[in-house]
Amino acid sequence: MHQPVTAQQALQSARDTRCLEIGHGLLSRVPRIFREQFGDRSAVLVADRNTFAVAGREVAGALKSAGISAPTPIIFEDPNLYAEYSFIDKLESALQLHNAIPVACGSGTINDLVKLAAHHLGRPYLCVATAASMDGYAAFGSSITREGSKQTFLCPAPQAIVADLGVISAAPVGMSAWGYADLMAKVPAGADWILADALGVEPINRNAWNIVQGRLPELLSDPAGVEAGTPAAAGKLIEGLMLSGFAMQASESSRPASGAEHQFSHLWDMQHHTHRGRAPSHGFKVGIGTLAVTALYEELFRQPIENLDVDRCCVAWPDLDECIAQARAALQSADLRRVAVQEIAAKHCDREGLRSQLLKLRDAWPELRERLQRQLLPLLDLQHRLLAVGAPILPEEIGISRERLRRSYGQAYFIRRRFTVLDLAVHTGLLDECLAKIFGPLGPWPIVGETTGGHGSLA
């Protein structure tokens, strides 16, 4: 049962964030909020060229007018700026020139860079959000690419967050659609957590669950308003994204907000995927991942798992060395193979462990299936919502072919130890059968000439 939670109520459960303000005309109030949180410390603005123009310049001027000591702002000029570790090193070098509290002015990349750099230097920070584009503002942890691998580095969320709806609503076309798709991903992420809880793998943290899931239907209710940039819809969206971050703070984990759908995005990140010369947004990749995961759930619901042949599954189950060999065969890059070996070693179970899990699944399936169906939104509904918000619903729209999407199911299974629907499909031996339907003539993404079997194999 979901218990609705407001952002201010969720703030009471946050480990790191002490202040959240969402509203209109808030940039001029940043100095007051800064002083309330950090006293007479100096402040240094961190932004890129775009975010400095839309909000950073005004914030810097307000800080100066309020008499708050402020070194020269740190402005990233690189047009290819992204959340990569080399930029952490550059930011730390700049911050080490003084003891000022960073004021991150931006969205995903700026916030993640400042979050980790500030943590390394033992400083809190304040975030001025410039777009409702992702859920990482209030998240515990920073998602950074290092040595070719997308990793979550544990570090505190901002002590204070300011979201001016005038700035948020005026963000470039598409950024709110990114955020809407990221928020929608909490639907299948919740299903994956229900699954992990039911099988005794990872119990649900009820407080974190209510924070992220309690108002999710309401906060996802107006995709057309988000696309149109109405302040009311922008306010709901940014609140939902903040709630997601607070849930991660409350649980000290990304589990409340991230399931198998994020594994698709992380896989494509680690494969350095680009489309038309640029990496697609995190939100759009997660949106396609959400559709992919939902399609898999819907095919599994059609399977008689309550009659699963557990003995057959156990006989077919590979040992750890065989599973690692499958991962190496499925993944091309050395970085991905290295990650897969670590993650598979952490989550692999022997045949007796598999038997115990599958017996529990078989007995619980009729009731568990109903719970999962109540949690999930139908695939067609998700597609309509994404269309209304201006987000892609076909993998080709982000440069992923249908053949590649099909391969991605098996590859994504290998790169994270978190138990999700991908693990369920692999453990039951049903992945290939489900993929044959998803990419068959009557599936959501038919592949010309596709019949059954083949590409979904983990090998």
Side-chain angles (χ1 to χ4, degrees):
M1 183 84 179
H2 301 333
Q3 296 294 326
V5 177
T6 67
Q8 290 304 319
Q9 289 170 330
L11 191 61
Q12 305 308 309
S13 299
R15 296 177 69 257
D16 310 311
T17 306
R18 297 289 172 262
C19 173
L20 169 67
E21 294 212 14
I22 301 174
H24 293 273
L26 296 184
L27 297 185
S28 63
R29 290 159 60 180
V30 170
R32 173 185 61 78
I33 296 167
F34 185 90
R35 278 209 171 99
E36 288 173 354
Q37 296 298 318
F38 308 112
D40 60 359
R41 297 282 297 271
S42 58
V44 59
L45 189 88
V46 183
D48 61 31
R49 289 182 297 178
N50 295 326
T51 60
F52 184 75
V54 300
R57 183 176 288 108
E58 184 173 343
V59 171
L63 292 169
K64 182 177 180 180
S65 297
I68 295 175
S69 174
T72 302
I74 300 170
I75 310 297
F76 283 99
E77 300 286 349
D78 194 324
N80 297 314
L81 179 70
Y82 71 110
E84 199 275 330
Y85 210 89
S86 63
F87 293 109
I88 296 288
D89 293 333
K90 292 177 182 178
L91 181 54
E92 286 183 29
S93 295
L95 290 173
Q96 285 173 336
L97 299 176
H98 45 69
N99 293 315
I101 298 295
V103 175
C105 186
S107 54
T109 296
I110 290 294
N111 187 53
D112 273 345
L113 294 176
V114 173
K115 189 185 301 185
L116 187 55
H119 171 60
H120 285 168
L121 299 176
R123 302 181 204 176
Y125 78 104
L126 182 149
C127 177
V128 177
T130 57
S133 56
M134 50 86 220
D135 67 358
Y137 287 116
F140 177 84
S142 182
S143 185
I144 303 288
T145 298
R146 186 176 192 182
E147 296 178 351
S149 172
K150 191 78 167 184
Q151 304 175 46
T152 298
F153 293 85
L154 301 183
C155 50
Q159 186 167 320
I161 305 172
V162 178
D164 188 312
L165 292 180
V167 175
I168 298 291
S169 299
V173 173
M175 293 190 77
S176 292
W178 304 350
Y180 184 90
D182 201 9
L183 185 61
M184 194 172 74
K186 313 318 165 202
V187 177
D192 281 347
W193 205 359
I194 289 171
L195 191 61
D197 177 75
L199 296 181
V201 179
E202 187 171 357
I204 288 175
N205 176 319
R206 187 54 55 184
N207 182 40
W209 173 272
N210 285 333
I211 291 172
V212 74
Q213 296 289 336
R215 295 174 56 213
L216 195 54
E218 169 204 348
L219 299 173
L220 288 171
S221 64
D222 190 11
V226 171
E227 197 276 338
T230 66
K236 282 187 175 182
L237 177 58
I238 196 68
E239 185 173 7
L241 295 170
M242 294 299 174
L243 284 168
S244 179
F246 289 148
M248 288 186 270
Q249 283 192 47
S251 64
E252 299 184 44
S253 165
S254 63
R255 168 58 96 168
S258 171
E261 74 295 323
H262 273 71
Q263 289 172 234
F264 283 85
S265 177
H266 293 329
L267 171 71
W268 297 329
D269 285 342
M270 294 164 69
Q271 291 172 333
H272 308 291
H273 172 65
T274 60
H275 179 49
R276 296 174 181 168
R278 300 190 64 180
S281 71
H282 170 75
F284 284 176
K285 286 180 288 192
V286 166
I288 296 298
T290 293
L291 297 179
V293 167
T294 302
L296 178 57
Y297 264 115
E298 291 187 353
E299 287 302 328
L300 286 167
F301 293 154
R302 299 183 181 101
Q303 301 291 328
I305 293 177
E306 64 274 14
N307 300 320
L308 185 69
D309 187 339
V310 173
D311 288 336
R312 180 185 60 81
C313 293
C314 291
V315 168
W317 186 240
D319 63 22
L320 178 58
D321 288 341
E322 291 173 312
C323 195
I324 288 174
Q326 290 176 346
R328 291 183 183 279
L331 300 166
Q332 289 72 46
S333 78
D335 289 333
L336 274 168
R337 288 171 174 171
R338 183 178 65 251
V339 170
V341 168
Q342 295 171 346
E343 298 302 299
I344 290 297
K347 75 176 180 177
H348 189 270
C349 57
D350 59 21
R351 288 180 176 175
E352 285 309 306
L354 180 69
R355 179 181 299 278
S356 176
Q357 182 187 96
L358 293 182
L359 288 173
K360 184 180 293 187
L361 171 67
R362 190 175 67 183
D363 292 343
W365 183 245
E367 180 183 354
L368 178 57
R369 178 174 53 201
E370 290 184 9
R371 287 181 62 199
L372 293 168
Q373 287 174 323
R374 288 196 300 270
Q375 168 65 23
L376 291 164
L377 291 171
L379 181 62
L380 190 59
D381 185 358
L382 295 174
Q383 290 171 324
H384 286 160
R385 289 168 184 256
L386 288 173
L387 281 172
V389 83
I393 63 168
L394 297 174
E396 296 92 339
E397 293 177 90
I398 61 167
I400 299 291
S401 70
R402 298 182 186 199
E403 292 83 359
R404 182 175 177 183
L405 178 60
R406 181 168 184 164
R407 291 194 301 272
S408 294
Y409 280 86
Q411 293 171 331
Y413 162 77
F414 287 121
I415 66 166
R416 198 164 191 184
R417 68 192 66 183
R418 177 164 294 162
F419 193 94
T420 71
V421 68
L422 296 175
D423 297 84
L424 174 68
V426 170
H427 289 190
T428 56
L430 294 171
L431 181 60
D432 279 358
E433 186 174 344
C434 290
L435 294 182
K437 296 291 182 60
I438 292 170
F439 295 95
L442 301 180
W445 302 298
I447 295 175
V448 176
E450 182 61 33
T451 53
T452 59
H455 305 307
S457 172
L458 290 181

